[in-house]
């Protein structure tokens, strides 16, 4: 491993000798080529433990959800059993290949056989996203020096888009982050065939990433490899259209791609979109969303600014920023309000792209080492300033709900449900049952009717309660009792109902607290026919 340059006048010779077309391309055997850089992997390891700690802690504190962790856990469980992926959360035996084209998730199937736990998905996501820091860090080290590389790695690893993704469940985009980082690093250093090789597996992650592959092809063509670039662009476009309008509809019970409504102003597909934009439906509404609607309402413009802020807007000086356009455009044109903001997983890959563009822009500037350090320091500073607004901060200042005794009660109540049972559960409880029961969401219109068990946490705060309001939930519980369900447990806001002949005897092998089989205080709180609240 070579030390960074000690002079303050210029950046490494590699950068000074580069031209805009090659953007820091490095000849074989150049500085750092093929060398193992321990600190880059140590940084990735530190991020892995940070991400894993946040994910597992959020899950343990009932902060994970049926959409998306419960769905993906059921998908992985299906793959592990050698079956096509299905999800009870989406509907009875719902074929997930008819929802999104994500065969890459099958890679977790063999691991799930070794560790059949929903936590596997969270740990795998932490590892995948952490590894995505390595290509960008090594590229920055070769082109800009060690000090700048450390800053790039820290800025990307702590960026708000990464934090939002890690803080919200699991998503297949985690597989795309390292692939995209490797592809853009290769593209930025002039290795066009390697860029294509790393980009093509993105087609197995999700159907919309075909457009991202097409954008990579356009940039490759722009940078000189015209034939390779055009073939990649056409292949990515064809794959996106094929998976969206042929493959997914072939698996879908409805015979079509479920998310067409995101563009025409309709309901926006499964999961409950809600437009919130005020745009009309049909061609007029689509035209409005593709013009003025790209920056209104206000959350859209805010998100674009916050996306660019961590790179001090310097990413706009690199052609690599064009790779972000497909994702940005479909998000801003969508009728679903959740696509416009900074939450969830939607900005993870944009962070990867923008930080790759940031490195590329710094290389293309051919400025002094001091100016590079100033830019990188500014980028790290912005990321740190944004940190308290996003999930990493929860490790420092946890959310007030739920309190620790509530979590203990949750474990005891869930342990009363036998393995293999059919269950409807509150959104936040679904991921804790998905490994050993056939679970769907209570109050969700597509859930399997008349399950053997119903378990509800009535204390969920209004700001995270979904799909039922507190009043609607209480009414649904009363209706269940009227249909013959009886109360097994009612304690600390939890309500457990059953229509089976026995009220459960701790047969489940799910999480427990203390000894015994769920008998404790939860068992002693049985109240027949008591209201939910």
């Amino acid at each position: 491993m070579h030390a960074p340059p000690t002079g303050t006048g210029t950046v490494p010779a590699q950068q000074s000798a580069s031209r805009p077309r090659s953007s820091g391309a490095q000849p074989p055997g150049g500085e750092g080529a093929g060398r193992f850089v321990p600190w880059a992997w140590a940084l990735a390891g530190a991020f892995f433990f940070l991400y894993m700690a946040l994910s597992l802690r959020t899950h343990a504190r009932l902060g994970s959800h049926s959409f998306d962790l419960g769905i993906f856990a059921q998908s992985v469980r299906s793959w592990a059993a050698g079956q096509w992926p299905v999800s009870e959360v989406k509907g009875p035996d719902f074929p997930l290949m008819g929802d999104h084209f994500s065969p890459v998730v099958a890679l977790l199937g063999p691991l799930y056989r070794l560790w059949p736990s929903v936590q596997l998905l969270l740990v795998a996501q932490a590892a995948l996203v952490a590894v995505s820091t390595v290509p960008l860090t090594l590229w920055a080290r070769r082109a800009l020096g060690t000090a700048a590389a450390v800053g790039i790695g820290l800025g990307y690893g702590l960026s708000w888009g990464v934090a939002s993704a890690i803080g919200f469940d699991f998503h297949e985009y985690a597989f795309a982050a390292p692939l995209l980082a490797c592809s853009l690093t290769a593209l930025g250093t002039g290795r066009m065939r390697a860029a294509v090789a790393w980009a093509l597996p993105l087609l197995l992650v999700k159907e919309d990433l075909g457009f991202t592959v097409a954008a990579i092809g356009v940039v490759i063509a722009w940078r000189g490899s015209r034939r390779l670039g055009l073939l990649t662009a056409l292949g990515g476009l064809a794959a996106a259209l094929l998976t969206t309008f042929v493959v997914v509809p072939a698996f879908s019970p409805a015979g079509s791609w479920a998310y067409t409504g995101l563009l025409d102003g309709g309901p926006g597909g499964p999961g409950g979109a809600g437009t919130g934009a005020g745009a009309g439906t049909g061609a007029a509404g689509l035209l409005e969303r593709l013009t003025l609607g790209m920056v209104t309402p206000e959350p859209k413009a805010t998100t674009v600014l916050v996306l660019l802020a961590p790179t001090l807007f310097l990413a706009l000086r690199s052609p690599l920023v064009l790779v972000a356009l497909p994702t940005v455009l479909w998000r801003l044109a969508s009728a679903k309000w959740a696509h416009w903001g900074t939450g969830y997983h939607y900005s993870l890959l944009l962070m990867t792209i923008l930080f790759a563009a940031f490195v590329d822009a710094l290389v293309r500037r051919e400025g002094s080492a001091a100016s590079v350090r100033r830019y990188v320091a500014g980028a790290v500073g912005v990321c740190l300033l944004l940190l308290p607004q996003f999930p990493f901060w929860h490790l420092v200042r946890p959310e007030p709900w739920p309190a620790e005794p509530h979590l203990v009660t949750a474990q005891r109540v869930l342990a009363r449900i036998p393995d293999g049972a059919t269950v409807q559960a509150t959104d936040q409880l679904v991921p804790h049952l998905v490994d050993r029961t056939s679970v769907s969401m209570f109050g969700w219109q597509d859930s399997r009717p008349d399950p053997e068990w119903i378990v509800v946490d009535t204390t969920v705060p209004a700001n995270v309660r979904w799909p039922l309001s507190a009043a609607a939930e209480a009414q649904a519980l009363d209706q269940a009792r009227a249909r013959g369900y009886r109360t097994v447990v009612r304690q600390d806001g939890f309500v457990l109902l059953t229509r089976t002949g026995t009220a459960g005897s701790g047969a489940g092998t799910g999480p427990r607290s203390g000894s015994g089989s769920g008998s404790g205080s939860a068992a002693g709180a049985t109240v027949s026919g008591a209201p939910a609240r």
Side-chain angles (χ1 to χ4, degrees):
M1 170 175 151
H2 293 272
T6 55
T8 58
T10 59
V11 293
Q14 171 196 333
Q15 178 184 340
S16 299
S18 67
R19 295 292 182 266
R21 299 281 294 194
S22 61
S23 183
Q26 186 172 334
E31 181 185 3
R35 291 178 179 266
F36 177 69
V37 183
W39 67 260
W41 287 96
L43 183 63
F47 281 130
F48 166 66
F49 285 108
L50 173 67
Y51 301 161
M52 183 173 62
L54 175 61
S55 293
L56 294 180
R57 187 178 187 279
T58 300
H59 175 66
R61 290 183 55 81
L62 305 182
S64 52
H65 305 268
S66 55
F67 285 69
D68 291 319
L69 184 57
I71 293 172
F72 280 108
Q74 289 175 335
S75 173
V76 173
R77 188 179 178 187
S78 298
W79 286 115
Q83 303 168 352
W84 287 107
V86 296
S87 173
E88 284 288 301
V89 171
K90 295 285 292 185
D93 296 320
F94 185 93
L96 287 175
M97 293 288 281
D99 187 45
H100 288 299
F101 183 74
S102 303
V104 71
V105 177
L107 294 175
L108 294 179
L111 297 177
Y112 190 86
R113 291 180 67 90
L114 299 175
W115 183 21
S117 170
V118 69
Q119 297 177 55
L120 167 68
L121 281 71
L122 302 176
V123 173
Q125 176 172 258
L128 289 164
V129 177
V131 165
S132 72
T133 65
V134 175
L136 299 179
T137 301
L138 294 181
W139 176 21
R141 175 184 174 273
R142 291 193 299 268
L144 304 170
T146 300
V150 172
I152 295 292
L154 286 173
Y156 169 61
L158 294 175
S159 61
W160 67 263
V162 171
S164 291
I166 295 296
F168 182 77
D169 290 13
F170 170 91
H171 203 272
E172 69 261 78
Y173 280 164
F175 287 96
L179 292 171
L180 199 51
C182 288
S183 179
L184 296 181
T185 295
L187 202 167
T189 53
R191 297 176 290 118
M192 302 306 182
R193 291 184 181 275
V196 174
W198 284 110
L200 289 179
L202 293 171
L203 301 176
L204 302 177
V205 176
K206 198 176 179 185
E207 64 272 12
D208 65 287
L209 291 182
F211 296 109
T212 300
V213 173
I216 290 174
V218 169
V219 177
I220 289 174
W222 184 355
R223 288 201 160 181
S225 300
R226 186 161 301 173
R227 183 172 182 274
L228 178 63
L230 290 178
L231 286 175
T232 303
L234 291 174
L237 181 61
L241 296 176
L242 181 67
T243 53
T244 301
F245 298 110
V246 178
V247 177
V248 171
F251 283 93
S252 172
S256 62
W257 188 58
Y259 300 90
T260 307
L262 295 179
L263 293 179
D264 65 15
T275 65
T281 60
L286 179 60
L287 178 62
E288 180 179 348
R289 277 190 294 279
L290 292 178
T291 52
L292 181 63
M294 297 299 283
V295 291
T296 59
E298 179 270 337
K300 295 183 179 181
T302 301
T303 296
V304 172
L305 291 175
V306 178
L307 279 168
L308 296 170
T311 67
L312 306 182
F313 295 83
L314 197 65
L316 293 173
R317 297 188 182 184
S318 167
L320 297 188
V321 78
L322 296 175
V323 179
L325 274 181
T327 300
V328 171
L329 289 177
W330 75 251
R331 284 181 60 184
L332 297 183
S334 170
K336 185 174 182 178
W337 63 266
H339 290 156
W340 311 336
T342 57
Y344 308 106
H345 53 273
Y346 301 114
S347 297
L348 170 61
L349 300 187
L350 293 179
M351 287 293 108
T352 309
I353 296 167
L354 291 171
F355 270 86
F358 185 42
V359 175
D360 187 55
L362 288 173
V363 173
R364 293 164 65 87
R365 284 184 71 254
E366 299 185 350
S368 68
S371 69
V372 168
R373 286 196 294 269
R374 285 195 296 269
Y375 272 111
V376 172
V380 174
V382 170
C383 291
L384 293 177
L385 285 174
L386 292 173
L387 209 56
Q389 306 302 317
F390 292 93
F392 287 149
W393 202 249
H394 295 171
L395 290 171
V396 179
R397 178 177 291 180
E399 295 290 328
W401 181 89
E404 202 64 34
H406 191 74
L407 300 177
V408 174
T409 304
Q411 293 175 335
R412 291 176 174 170
V413 170
L414 295 181
R416 298 294 298 272
I417 300 173
D419 293 352
T422 57
V423 187
Q424 284 188 14
T426 306
D427 178 35
Q428 290 82 359
L429 298 180
V430 167
H432 296 266
L433 291 165
V434 73
D435 295 322
R436 61 184 187 84
T437 68
S438 178
V439 61
S440 55
M441 187 163 47
F442 183 68
W444 178 243
Q445 59 185 3
D446 295 324
S447 291
R448 185 182 294 276
D450 301 321
E452 297 170 304
W453 296 81
I454 294 174
V455 59
V456 172
D457 183 357
T458 64
T459 69
V460 177
N463 64 315
V464 293
R465 174 179 285 279
W466 182 77
L468 297 179
S469 66
E473 183 179 83
Q475 183 179 11
L477 286 171
D478 288 340
Q479 291 172 348
R481 292 190 186 94
R483 296 197 308 271
Y485 284 87
R486 58 194 181 86
T487 302
V488 177
V489 174
R490 179 173 176 262
Q491 184 193 20
D492 194 18
F494 289 98
V495 178
L496 179 63
L497 307 180
T498 186
R499 63 175 179 83
T500 61
T502 59
S505 57
T509 57
R512 289 179 172 81
S513 177
S515 59
S517 55
S519 52
S521 59
T526 301
V527 179
S528 298
R533 296 186 65 85

